[in-house]
Amino acid sequence: MSHTRDKLMAAAISLSLARGYEETTADAIAEAAGVARRTFFRYFRAKEDAVLPDHDDCLRRVRDLLDKVDPGAPPLAAIKRAAHMVLALYAQDPVTAVRRYDLLRRVESLREREITTTGRYQRVFADHLHRAEAGGDAGARLRHDVTAAAVVAAHNHVLRQWIRDKAKGDVHARLDAALVSVEALMRGWPGETTAHEDALFVMVARPGTPAWRVVQALKDAELVRA
Amino acid sequence: MSHTRDKLMAAAISLSLARGYEETTADAIAEAAGVARRTFFRYFRAKEDAVLPDHDDCLRRVRDLLDKVDPGAPPLAAIKRAAHMVLALYAQDPVTAVRRYDLLRRVESLREREITTTGRYQRVFADHLHRAEAGGDAGARLRHDVTAAAVVAAHNHVLRQWIRDKAKGDVHARLDAALVSVEALMRGWPGETTAHEDALFVMVARPGTPAWRVVQALKDAELVRA
């Protein structure tokens, strides 16, 4: 991330907040940042790119990360690292993150572009899970899609709450905590059988169920030893 | 849904597939459907609206449904009904659904608009859960966001698979099955305690765990009767 790029982005957001996004031109942004107009276009294709994080670059890095991951490692671990990579786009500059959020609340087209980007990350995450656990049944593919959606929802939730708290505190730690919940949750995906030695099983029952019924059900499923 | 509207939509998708979306004009669509240009604009603001489902109308009906729902009913039940409402937009005309999917694969701007719409439904679902279970802690709000994302991911998964299967079979039944999984999953959201009579608890353990340890853990948590 270059210093000039950061200065241009800060100027683009400040001017858009002060004058309105539509009214803010690339010329005015360049002038406010003390650079030439052509310098602006060396960093950004359009004004829109100057107020939003560089998701194209981040998507490339996310794909790179997922392509290079050890095929033996749990696929969700790589997705979690990728989610932190996206979060870093915001966390590395909390002041800009808060101001950008203000701007997005005012400009629908920018909000829509962020939603589109969110969908793109979600697709990349789901595709990684499909590839990593290829050969699964239809239920597995549904689980992959739901997992990707849950990770992205947790990321967006944490990011939004952090920004509403004026970007105070360690947002990466918050994402860790949220992803622990998501990971525990997804272990409970129903209807799939696993034959692994280190697998977990999940039992759902109503509180107050007699103990013998629980034990019987577990024994029937050959899940506990007597 | 009017007959003229359906005819215009079918013509818009057919022409776009045959000639390219950019090259297809409102005039040509009206002509192909045998109506006047001004008739086209009575039904659609722009060409884009003629090839995509009427999500603005559907979002209104979804909000209506959620506003009128019995506050005592489980909030996820209403979300599930809303998801079926969205699915009906596609299910009511399988031929158009399949052809539209072909078109969306070719035209990025249309795909992006569908993603934006997806995000909008997800927001409405999450907001309903926030309202229905207001006063929850930060964990509850995260759970609401993840639940909304999971329902929307399940809907999109089912819709996509159905369309790839040439829109054969009962897609609403498929969504029911997927949402049963999502609902069972979300009951296992970790770290929340419930005091309801009809609550469920979820236990996670390794296969082969001795039965007495399972029973002890359940008794310690006051979840089973001896």
Side-chain angles (χ1 to χ4, degrees):
Chain A
M1 199 63 70
S2 87
H3 180 62
T4 307
R5 196 181 189 288
D6 289 349
K7 259 184 21 189
L8 281 164
M9 187 167 268
I13 294 173
S14 290
L15 281 178
S16 298
L17 283 170
R19 301 182 186 177
Y21 175 67
E22 293 305 331
E23 288 70 29
T24 300
T25 61
D27 281 315
I29 297 166
E31 198 188 320
V35 301
R37 177 189 158 84
R38 66 170 187 283
T39 307
F40 178 92
F41 286 104
R42 204 178 301 146
Y43 289 100
F44 307 106
R45 274 171 310 180
K47 183 175 66 173
E48 211 177 42
D49 297 325
V51 296
L52 295 174
D54 192 347
H55 288 298
D56 286 345
D57 176 61
C58 188
L59 267 163
R60 260 191 302 275
R61 289 184 291 117
V62 162
R63 284 203 189 92
D64 249 34
L65 170 76
L66 297 179
D67 284 347
K68 283 176 190 156
V69 94
D70 175 6
L76 192 50
I79 302 291
K80 286 164 67 182
R81 279 174 59 204
H84 278 287
M85 207 176 231
V86 183
L87 192 63
L89 277 188
Y90 302 85
Q92 69 197 358
D93 186 350
V95 174
T96 298
V98 172
R99 293 168 65 74
R100 182 191 293 119
Y101 186 74
D102 266 353
L103 182 61
L104 260 67
R105 288 175 54 173
R106 300 183 201 182
V107 185
E108 197 188 350
S109 65
L110 294 176
R111 271 203 312 281
E112 289 189 350
R113 173 124 167 222
E114 282 280 276
I115 293 174
T116 306
T117 304
T118 289
R120 216 169 271 150
Y121 286 113
Q122 195 168 314
R123 194 74 254 143
V124 171
F125 291 178
D127 286 345
H128 178 72
L129 295 170
H130 293 332
R131 272 197 313 275
E133 298 181 12
D137 58 6
R141 292 186 70 91
L142 173 60
R143 177 169 52 78
H144 299 153
D145 283 355
V146 169
T147 304
V151 168
V152 167
H155 169 280
N156 290 347
H157 175 92
V158 162
L159 175 60
R160 198 166 48 241
Q161 294 301 323
W162 176 70
I163 287 176
R164 286 184 184 162
D165 293 347
K166 311 262 178 279
K168 289 197 184 99
D170 182 354
V171 66
H172 285 287
R174 290 197 199 185
L175 180 59
D176 271 335
L179 291 179
V180 164
S181 292
V182 168
E183 205 168 6
L185 181 74
M186 294 315 302
R187 270 190 226 114
W189 184 259
E192 278 184 274
T193 52
T194 50
H196 303 297
E197 188 67 358
D198 61 348
L200 296 162
F201 68 83
V202 173
M203 188 193 71
V204 179
R206 291 188 195 285
T209 304
W212 66 266
R213 284 197 52 189
V214 173
V215 172
Q216 197 53 53
L218 297 175
K219 283 183 183 161
D220 289 350
E222 296 178 10
L223 288 169
V224 295
R225 290 178 282 126
Chain B
M1 200 65 67
S2 86
H3 179 63
T4 308
R5 195 179 191 289
D6 289 348
K7 259 187 18 191
L8 281 164
M9 186 166 270
I13 294 174
S14 292
L15 282 179
S16 298
L17 283 170
R19 302 182 185 177
Y21 175 67
E22 291 307 331
E23 289 68 30
T24 301
T25 62
D27 281 316
I29 297 167
E31 199 188 320
V35 302
R37 177 189 158 84
R38 65 169 188 284
T39 307
F40 178 92
F41 286 105
R42 204 179 299 146
Y43 289 100
F44 306 106
R45 274 170 311 180
K47 184 176 63 172
E48 211 177 43
D49 297 324
V51 295
L52 295 174
D54 193 348
H55 288 299
D56 286 346
D57 177 63
C58 188
L59 267 163
R60 261 192 301 274
R61 289 183 291 119
V62 161
R63 285 202 186 92
D64 250 33
L65 169 78
L66 298 178
D67 284 348
K68 284 175 189 157
V69 93
D70 174 6
L76 192 49
I79 302 291
K80 286 164 68 182
R81 279 175 58 203
H84 278 287
M85 207 178 232
V86 182
L87 192 63
L89 277 189
Y90 301 85
Q92 69 198 359
D93 187 349
V95 174
T96 298
V98 172
R99 295 168 65 73
R100 183 191 292 119
Y101 186 74
D102 266 352
L103 182 61
L104 261 68
R105 289 176 54 173
R106 302 183 198 182
V107 186
E108 196 187 351
S109 66
L110 295 176
R111 271 203 313 281
E112 290 188 350
R113 173 121 169 225
E114 282 280 278
I115 293 174
T116 305
T117 305
T118 289
R120 214 169 272 150
Y121 286 113
Q122 195 168 315
R123 192 74 256 139
V124 170
F125 292 177
D127 286 346
H128 177 73
L129 295 171
H130 293 333
R131 273 198 311 275
E133 298 181 12
D137 58 6
R141 292 186 69 88
L142 172 60
R143 177 170 51 79
H144 299 153
D145 284 355
V146 169
T147 304
V151 168
V152 168
H155 170 280
N156 290 347
H157 175 92
V158 163
L159 175 60
R160 197 166 47 242
Q161 294 301 324
W162 177 71
I163 287 176
R164 286 184 185 162
D165 293 347
K166 310 265 179 276
K168 289 199 185 98
D170 183 353
V171 67
H172 284 287
R174 290 197 197 185
L175 180 58
D176 270 335
L179 291 179
V180 164
S181 292
V182 168
E183 204 167 9
L185 182 75
M186 294 314 303
R187 273 191 221 111
W189 184 257
E192 279 185 272
T193 52
T194 49
H196 303 297
E197 188 68 359
D198 61 347
L200 295 162
F201 68 84
V202 172
M203 189 194 69
V204 178
R206 290 187 196 286
T209 305
W212 65 267
R213 284 197 52 189
V214 172
V215 173
Q216 196 54 52
L218 296 174
K219 282 185 183 160
D220 289 351
E222 296 177 12
L223 288 172
V224 295
R225 290 177 283 125

